[in-house]
C-alpha cells in the first residue's frame, strides 16, 4: 500500500513538472522583460516578437535601426543594415547590448522573419492570456488530484486494521488477529510494597515456576509473572524504571531508595523450555547463587536459585 502511495505521488509530481517545462519552453522572451531588466540579457542571444513601428536610417554618426513594439507596449531599438517593412509582425533574433551613456538596451539583429500572425496586439494579448488561463486550470486540476490521493490514502490507512502490537524488543512472536476483541486491561497488584507488578492477560503464558521475595517488607510473598513474546523468547524485564503500556504485565519494578538497582537491571528469559537470567546493567550487579554476572552475561535459572539485585533477594522455585 505504501509503495503504491509513493508511486501515485511520483506520477503527479512528474506530470506537474512536465507541464511546467512545456509552459516555460512556450514562453518566449518579451521586449518588456528586456526593458525591465536589461542587465539580465546583456550580451545574450535573444528571440523576440513585435511589430515594426518606425524605421530610422543611419548617418555618419548613427547606425540604421528600427523600433520594434512588443505585445504590451514596450519598444526596443534593433540595429540592422536592411530596412524592414512598417506594420508587419516579425520574429527577431539577435544579441542584446546596453548603450553605455543611457543604459538603454538594444538588439543587434542577426535574423528577422516575418510572421503570418495577426498584427493586432489585442488579439495576441488575449491569446496569451487564454494560454495562461489554461495552464493555471491544469495546475489546479493536478493539485486537486493530489489532494484526492492524500485523502484516499489517509482513509485507507485508517480503515486498515493493525495486525501486531508495538514492542521495544522487535516483532512479537504471537499476534492478535482481527476479531479477537480488544486487548485486556492489566491491573497493578496492591499486595506488594517493595516491587510493582501487574496481573498478566489471560492470553499470555506464565513463565514456569514462581518467584518468592526473601528480604525486605514483602519477605515470604510469592508471585507468578508472564513474559513478553520476542524473538529471543518470552522476556520479563526487571529494574527501577516504570514501564507502562503493552509491556507492563511483563515487568518487575523494584522500589530502590538507595539506588542500588539500575533502571534496566536484568531480564528473565523463557527460552527452549529453560529459564535464564541475563544481567543488563553495567553499573549495578546481578548475583545468582553467589555468582556475580557481568554486563550482558546470562545464566540458567535452576530450581531454588537465589537471585540478588541491590537490596532485593528473590528465590526461584519450580
Amino acid at each position: 500500500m505504501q509503495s503504491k502511495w509513493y508511486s501515485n505521488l511520483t506520477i503527479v509530481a512528474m506530470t506537474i513538472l512536465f507541464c511546467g517545462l512545456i509552459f516555460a519552453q512556450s514562453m518566449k522572451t518579451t521586449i518588456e522583460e528586456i526593458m525591465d531588466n536589461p542587465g539580465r540579457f546583456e550580451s545574450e542571444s535573444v528571440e523576440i516578437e513585435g511589430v515594426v513601428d518606425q524605421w530610422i536610417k543611419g548617418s555618419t554618426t548613427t547606425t540604421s535601426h528600427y523600433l520594434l513594439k512588443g505585445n504590451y507596449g514596450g519598444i526596443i531599438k534593433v540595429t540592422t543594415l536592411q530596412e524592414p517593412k512598417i506594420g508587419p509582425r516579425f520574429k527577431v533574433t539577435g544579441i542584446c547590448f546596453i548603450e553605455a551613456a543611457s543604459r538603454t538596451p538594444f538588439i543587434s539583429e542577426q535574423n528577422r522573419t516575418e510572421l503570418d500572425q495577426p498584427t493586432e496586439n489585442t488579439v495576441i494579448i488575449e491569446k496569451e492570456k487564454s494560454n495562461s488561463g489554461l495552464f493555471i486550470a491544469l495546475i489546479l486540476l493536478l493539485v486537486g488530484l493530489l489532494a484526492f490521493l492524500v485523502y484516499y490514502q489517509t482513509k485507507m490507512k485508517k480503515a486498515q486494521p493493525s495486525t501486531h502490537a508495538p514492542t521495544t524488543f522487535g516483532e512479537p512472536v504471537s499476534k492478535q488477529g482481527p476479531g479477537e476483541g480488544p486487548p485486556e486491561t492489566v491491573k497493578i497488584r496492591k499486595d506488594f510494597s517493595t516491587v510493582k507488578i501487574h496481573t498478566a492477560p489471560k492470553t499470555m503464558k506464565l513463565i514456569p515456576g514462581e518467584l518468592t521475595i526473601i528480604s525486605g517488607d514483602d519477605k515470604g510473598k510469592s508471585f507468578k509473572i508472564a513474559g513478553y513474546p520476542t524473538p529471543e523468547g518470552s522476556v520479563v524485564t526487571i529494574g527501577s524504571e516504570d514501564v507502562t503500556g503493552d509491556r507492563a504485565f511483563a515487568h518487575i519494578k523494584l522500589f530502590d531508595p538507595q539506588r542500588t538497582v539500575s533502571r534496566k537491571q536484568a531480564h528473565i528469559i523463557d527460552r527452549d523450555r529453560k529459564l535464564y537470567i541475563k544481567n543488563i546493567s553495567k553499573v549495578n550487579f546481578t548475583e545468582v547463587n553467589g555468582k556475580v554476572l557481568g554486563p550482558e552475561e546470562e545464566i540458567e535459572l535452576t530450581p531454588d536459585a537465589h537471585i540478588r539485585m541491590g537490596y532485593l533477594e528473590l528465590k526461584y522455585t519450580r
Side-chain angles (χ1 to χ4, degrees):
M1 178 66 71
Q2 189 174 15
S3 61
K4 185 177 180 180
W5 160 242
Y6 283 120
S7 176
N8 291 336
L9 278 181
T10 303
I11 292 173
V12 173
M14 292 300 293
T15 303
I16 294 175
L17 179 61
F18 179 73
C19 292
L21 290 174
I22 293 177
F23 183 77
Q25 289 292 332
S26 65
M27 296 293 290
K28 296 183 177 64
T29 303
T30 65
I31 294 174
E32 289 74 20
E33 287 177 327
I34 297 175
M35 299 302 295
D36 290 340
N37 190 7
R40 174 186 168 192
F41 300 95
E42 185 176 9
S43 301
E44 296 288 336
S45 177
V46 296
E47 180 181 286
I48 56 176
E49 293 182 9
V51 176
V52 176
D53 190 60
Q54 184 180 358
W55 164 252
I56 302 170
K57 187 173 179 60
S59 63
T60 55
T61 58
T62 60
T63 305
S64 297
H65 63 276
Y66 59 90
L67 301 181
L68 192 68
K69 187 175 182 179
N71 297 335
Y72 304 99
I75 297 177
I76 193 169
K77 182 173 77 173
V78 182
T79 60
T80 183
L81 298 177
Q82 298 179 350
E83 181 180 355
K85 298 178 183 178
I86 304 297
R89 183 175 181 81
F90 290 94
K91 178 173 70 175
V92 178
T93 304
I95 306 298
C96 179
F97 295 100
I98 299 177
E99 293 182 352
S102 63
R103 301 300 298 170
T104 303
F106 68 93
I107 306 298
S108 177
E109 182 185 87
Q110 294 177 326
N111 185 55
R112 181 197 328 142
T113 304
E114 185 175 348
L115 301 176
D116 295 330
Q117 299 177 4
T119 58
E120 291 81 0
N121 290 341
T122 303
V123 176
I124 296 169
I125 292 172
E126 291 300 325
K127 184 176 180 181
E128 291 185 357
K129 287 183 178 179
S130 176
N131 290 337
S132 299
L134 288 174
F135 178 74
I136 293 173
L138 178 60
I139 290 296
L140 291 176
L141 178 63
L142 292 174
V143 170
L145 177 61
L146 178 60
F148 173 77
L149 287 175
V150 172
Y151 168 78
Y152 178 78
Q153 293 294 337
T154 303
K155 186 176 180 181
M156 292 297 294
K157 187 175 181 180
K158 288 182 179 179
Q160 187 176 10
S162 177
T163 57
H164 61 81
T167 172
T168 57
F169 292 99
E171 290 294 326
V173 174
S174 62
K175 299 181 181 180
Q176 182 177 357
E180 294 182 6
E184 296 182 56
T185 302
V186 296
K187 298 180 180 180
I188 301 174
R189 292 187 57 173
K190 303 293 186 179
D191 50 337
F192 292 90
S193 59
T194 57
V195 298
K196 178 181 178 181
I197 55 178
H198 295 72
T199 58
K202 295 179 181 179
T203 54
M204 291 298 171
K205 182 181 178 182
L206 297 172
I207 64 172
E210 64 180 11
L211 294 169
T212 303
I213 301 174
I214 58 176
S215 67
D217 295 340
D218 291 323
K219 183 177 180 179
K221 294 182 180 180
S222 300
F223 61 92
K224 291 178 175 290
I225 193 166
Y228 191 87
T230 74
E232 189 180 7
S234 294
V235 175
V236 175
T237 57
I238 306 173
S240 61
E241 71 173 340
D242 196 8
V243 174
T244 59
D246 64 321
R247 289 196 302 113
F249 70 88
H251 179 69
I252 304 172
K253 177 180 178 179
L254 307 181
F255 294 104
D256 180 31
Q258 299 178 1
R259 297 186 178 181
T260 57
V261 177
S262 299
R263 288 174 54 81
K264 300 181 186 297
Q265 179 67 37
H267 289 173
I268 294 177
I269 307 168
D270 183 8
R271 181 176 64 234
D272 299 331
R273 298 184 179 181
K274 292 184 179 181
L275 209 61
Y276 300 86
I277 185 166
K278 183 177 183 179
N279 179 53
I280 303 299
S281 175
K282 296 181 180 180
V283 179
N284 297 305
F285 67 86
T286 299
E287 182 181 303
V288 180
N289 292 333
K291 174 180 172 57
V292 177
L293 304 182
E296 301 300 321
E297 182 180 357
E298 71 175 44
I299 189 173
E300 183 179 353
L301 272 182
T302 56
D304 298 324
H306 283 70
I307 307 166
R308 183 179 177 188
M309 289 169 283
Y311 72 91
L312 183 70
E313 291 186 67
L314 299 169
K315 181 181 179 181
Y316 170 66
T317 56
R318 187 171 182 176

